[in-house]
Amino acid sequence: MSAAPLPPAILLLGPTASGKTASALALAAALPVEIVSVDSAQVFRDMDIGTAKPDAAEQARCPHHLIDICTPEEAYSAARFRDDALQAMAGITARGRIPVLAGGTMLYFKALREGLSDLPPADAALRAEIDAAARAHGWPALHAELARRDPAAAAALKPNDAQRIQRALEIVRLTGRPLAESYARREMHSPPYRFISVALTLTDRAALHARIAQRFDAMLAAGFVDEVARLRRHYDLSLELPSMRCVGYRQAWDYLDGATDAATFRDQSIAATRQLAKRQLTWQRKFEAQWDALTPLDCLQPGLATRVIATVRRGLDDACG
């Protein structure tokens, strides 16, 4: 007797400003789906404008999951995302609907599909110690320490990449192993789903850059700076927290502190968003080479939503056939 077919799940990934939210909502209008956010910034409450979070009206059109699930004072990890996403997906499937995992945090997609490396959990005391050393001596000094302990890991990081240096040093100190060795110790647990994967990509990088600039200007007009000011008043925040390391937020922090003027703040935020999009597209190219049945769609061509729906319908038909 053949095994029962795995239930479908739709992966909709793409760089920032590529149209993922609109495409996911188009799927919701055409198919019985619920949306699971794959976004490391949209998990934070009260961070709405700068994360391009679906607004209340958009969320009312279809059930959304993994949005507004922690405060900006908390940390959120790929491991926690995988657990939360699988739990949400199980509930959606049990209701006879199809999960659509939509977002641009590529590490989360990788963790969901491929499992997680055997890495130690975050150690609050050690992180505080590393952060204190960075405040006293600067992140380049911590990068130099990492270079002594793990030259290969340090070579892959910029001297001021605070978040990654912190985590790399934390892992190396806790395990006594090079980072590559820790990441190689991976336990595979394939999720019980048949994935239909769609990657929003592009052939015209300049057009995406223009879209990024237009969207950031719209965020400014919607009150993004006031949003960051409110966050600083209502929560105990610092630039060491993951929430305030999000693109746009760390630049707004410096602007509110008077470290930059308005024009510099805008330029730095747009440049950082472009760099984010570049990293996301690099991830996507790796996924296209590694994953079965991932369909790339140019997000700048007309009729994107129609093409996404048609691609997903073909995938669902193949699963049934």
Side-chain angles (χ1 to χ4, degrees), residues 196-210:
I196 301 164
S197 304
V198 179
L200 305 187
T201 185
L202 70 155
T203 55
D204 186 346
R205 190 71 59 89
L208 180 64
H209 289 176

Side-chain angles (χ1 to χ4, degrees), residues 37 39-49 51 53-56 59 64-72 74 76 80 84 227 231 235:
S37 172
D39 191 299
S40 60
Q42 292 184 2
V43 297
F44 296 116
R45 288 192 287 275
D46 297 322
M47 291 175 56
D48 302 329
I49 299 171
T51 65
K53 190 178 296 179
D55 61 27
Q59 292 189 45
H64 283 66
H65 305 268
L66 306 194
I67 290 177
D68 294 337
I69 59 174
C70 54
T71 76
E74 299 177 70
Y76 192 80
R80 182 175 167 188
D84 290 346
E227 175 178 274
L231 289 167
Y235 296 100

Side-chain angles (χ1 to χ4, degrees), residues 42-315:
Q42 292 184 2
V43 297
F44 296 116
R45 288 192 287 275
D46 297 322
M47 291 175 56
D48 302 329
I49 299 171
T51 65
K53 190 178 296 179
D55 61 27
E58 290 170 328
Q59 292 189 45
R61 289 162 59 183
C62 172
H64 283 66
H65 305 268
L66 306 194
I67 290 177
D68 294 337
I69 59 174
C70 54
T71 76
E73 298 165 325
E74 299 177 70
Y76 192 80
S77 67
R80 182 175 167 188
F81 165 79
R82 192 173 197 270
D83 290 342
D84 290 346
L86 288 173
Q87 182 177 353
M89 292 166 72
I92 294 167
T93 300
R95 290 188 287 276
R97 302 173 73 80
I98 303 169
V100 174
L101 291 99
T105 301
M106 303 303 170
L107 176 61
Y108 287 7
F109 281 112
K110 183 178 178 67
L112 177 68
R113 284 195 53 136
E114 302 178 13
L116 292 162
S117 299
D118 181 21
L119 300 178
D123 184 301
L126 180 53
R127 287 195 171 188
E129 179 183 324
I130 293 171
D131 285 340
R135 286 192 294 272
H137 307 293
W139 284 106
L142 276 297
H143 184 268
E145 178 190 341
L146 181 62
R148 293 191 296 272
R149 292 173 176 264
D150 187 346
L157 300 176
K158 295 181 180 180
N160 285 305
D161 192 342
Q163 186 171 6
R164 291 178 175 84
I165 292 171
Q166 180 198 60
R167 181 56 175 157
L169 263 182
E170 179 185 32
I171 293 170
V172 171
R173 288 189 188 182
L174 287 171
T175 65
R177 296 192 300 263
L179 204 61
E181 183 179 331
S182 292
Y183 275 104
R185 296 161 65 99
R186 183 183 299 274
E187 186 174 2
M188 297 294 291
H189 293 291
S190 298
Y193 292 90
R194 182 186 184 278
F195 289 114
I196 301 164
S197 304
V198 179
L200 305 187
T201 185
L202 70 155
T203 55
D204 186 346
R205 190 71 59 89
L208 180 64
H209 289 176
R211 184 182 288 189
I212 286 170
Q214 291 167 2
R215 190 175 73 160
F216 188 74
D217 285 339
M219 290 177 177
L220 291 176
F224 175 49
V225 174
D226 290 338
E227 175 178 274
V228 180
R230 286 195 301 273
L231 289 167
R232 295 192 348 160
R233 289 195 301 269
H234 295 161
Y235 296 100
D236 183 14
L237 301 176
S238 73
L239 285 176
E240 282 73 39
L241 288 168
S243 60
M244 292 300 104
R245 290 175 182 163
C246 292
V247 168
Y249 286 86
R250 59 180 178 267
Q251 289 81 16
W253 186 290
D254 288 341
Y255 172 63
L256 287 168
D257 278 351
T260 58
D261 59 22
T264 302
F265 158 51
R266 176 185 180 274
D267 290 346
Q268 289 179 345
S269 298
I270 291 172
T273 309
R274 289 178 178 178
Q275 287 299 311
L276 171 61
K278 181 180 179 180
R279 293 194 298 271
Q280 291 168 320
L281 289 166
T282 299
W283 275 93
Q284 284 189 195
R285 285 192 291 272
K286 292 179 181 177
F287 293 160
E288 289 175 25
Q290 296 168 358
W291 294 359
D292 293 333
L294 186 150
T295 303
L297 296 177
D298 190 338
C299 68
L300 300 176
Q301 293 299 312
L304 176 61
T306 300
R307 289 184 287 123
V308 169
I309 293 168
T311 300
V312 169
R313 285 192 187 278
R314 284 195 298 271

